[in-house]
Every structure is written in structure tokens, then in C-alpha cells.
Amino acid sequence: MTHLTTHILDATTGTPAAGVTVTLAHLDGATIDSATTDTDGRLALGPDRLDDGDYALTFGTGAYFRGRGVASFHPVAVVAFTVAGEAHLHVPLLLSPFAYSTYRGS
């Protein structure tokens, strides 16, 4: 199982956000992995296990909304987090054109 997963829900439509580019990086900026969400808005990133430390997920939210002809405020949504011995992390994103929220999922 990949160590890190995410799911993006487009709150304006109530549907998964398919086709969003997501990049996993060390907080210092060194990219680890990048991929695009599937038709269910889901994605697994990175190696089997991340070392303890600080990381960031960058979600390409502006491109996602532009592709749908929707004006938006955030060109990207960046979620920074700390890994401290977890076997698996799930970082969901609830997305709208002018706001986003996240939490530590399971």
C-alpha cells in the first residue's frame, strides 16, 4: 500500500474532482512524486513509506476550475503536514472555487 492517499471532492458540484494534478514534495521544495486524480477524485502518491519529516501536497486547483470554465481564487491549494511514524496518511481536500478545507483522514 502506498503511504499517502488523497481524495478531492468538488463541493460546488458534489462530485469527485477528476483530473487534478497533485504534487508531493518535501517542505523544502524537493519534489517526490506528481500525478493526477482518477475519475473518483482519488490518488496514491509517493513511496511505500515516507520518512518522518515535513511535507506538502500541492493541488492544481486553478487549472481544474479553468478547465471547467469556472472562475476561482486559488491557483493552487497547498497542504503542509508532518509525518511522524505513521504507516498510512490520507489527506482529503474539499474544494470550491473560492475556498478549500482539509483534515487528517483515515
Side-chain angles (χ1 to χ4, degrees):
M1 170 185 263
T2 302
H3 180 73
L4 180 70
T5 57
T6 188
H7 177 246
I8 306 171
L9 180 69
D10 183 335
T12 58
T13 62
T15 59
V20 177
T21 300
V22 182
T23 301
L24 170 65
H26 292 279
L27 205 53
D28 68 8
T31 298
I32 298 167
D33 198 3
S34 185
T36 304
T37 56
D38 64 15
T39 57
D40 195 35
R42 295 184 183 276
L43 179 62
L45 284 168
D48 289 341
R49 185 166 182 85
L50 291 170
D51 293 333
D52 288 358
D54 297 327
Y55 296 86
L57 284 174
T58 301
F59 298 86
T61 56
Y64 168 77
F65 284 118
R66 275 191 306 277
R68 282 149 187 75
V70 175
S72 65
F73 182 68
H74 300 282
V76 297
V78 179
V79 178
F81 58 95
T82 299
V83 173
E86 292 87 358
H88 175 76
L89 287 172
H90 183 66
V91 182
L93 187 71
L94 182 60
L95 182 60
S96 78
F98 300 100
Y100 62 92
S101 65
T102 188
Y103 58 93
R104 182 180 171 167
S106 58

